[in-house]
Every structure is written in structure tokens, then in C-alpha cells.
Amino acid sequence: MPRNFVITDAQHGAAFTVRVVTLANKLEIAGVQDDGSLRIRLTESPAEGAANAQLIEFLAELLSVEAAQIEIVAGAEKPNKIVSVQGISPSLVEERVSSNLPE
């Protein structure tokens, strides 16, 4: 049974939680956790912000927005993060993420 991906309607866009796994073999969405967080595997190391930069670029491509529209608003130094995306509706985020979730 698929889990629900939780997206919050923010003032000027959408916000959602992400759980990152760094130093993975492949850059990909790994699924949705029990708490509704999006689980993403990153190939970069968390050192010097490389993984955060990769996360922002990955989400920008996935959501078809500019990287400047994406901000990690909480958890920049932790695996659990809150990401805000300006100028996009929660329903559009859900549509674009859902189409890229593993079977």
C-alpha cells in the first residue's frame, strides 16, 4: 500500500519533509517514509554542503523549477530536512513527485 507524501501549502509555494541518504550508489527518489517524508538517495557527501546542493539541483529538475526557488528551511546539517519551494502549488509538487516514485 503506498504511503501518503505530505505537502504543506506554504504562503508562496509548497513545503515538505525530506529524509536524505548520502553517499548512495544512485541519485533517486527511494520512496515515502511512514511519516510522509520523501526519501531521497544522494551520491554526494554531506561535507561542505555538497549533498544539500545536490538535493536542491535534483528537486529543481524533478519539479521543473529554478534551483533559486528551493530552500532548505530546516535541517541543513541533518538527514531530515524541511524543503520550501516557491512558486509551485502543493498539488503540482505531488503530481511531479508521485510520477517518479518507485513502484
Side-chain angles (χ1 to χ4, degrees):
M1 173 184 346
R3 295 184 184 105
N4 290 331
F5 173 48
V6 180
I7 309 166
T8 302
D9 190 4
Q11 186 174 7
H12 298 289
F16 51 93
T17 56
V18 175
R19 167 77 179 187
V20 298
V21 176
T22 57
L23 300 172
N25 291 328
K26 184 177 178 185
L27 176 61
E28 65 183 350
I29 295 176
V32 178
Q33 301 207 150
D34 289 335
D35 65 359
S37 297
L38 189 62
R39 184 176 176 94
I40 298 178
R41 292 187 182 114
L42 304 172
T43 58
E44 291 289 342
S45 162
E48 299 178 18
N52 285 341
Q54 185 179 42
L55 174 64
I56 289 171
E57 288 297 324
F58 178 71
L59 290 174
E61 184 176 329
L62 176 75
L63 301 173
S64 300
V65 299
E66 297 294 321
Q69 292 174 250
I70 300 174
E71 181 181 4
I72 298 171
V73 295
E77 303 296 319
K78 300 183 186 289
N80 293 319
K81 304 172 187 303
I82 299 175
V83 175
S84 172
V85 185
Q86 299 295 311
I88 191 169
S89 70
S91 61
L92 193 51
V93 169
E94 184 172 8
E95 176 185 313
R96 291 180 179 165
V97 168
S98 295
S99 66
N100 287 282
L101 287 173
E103 298 291 321

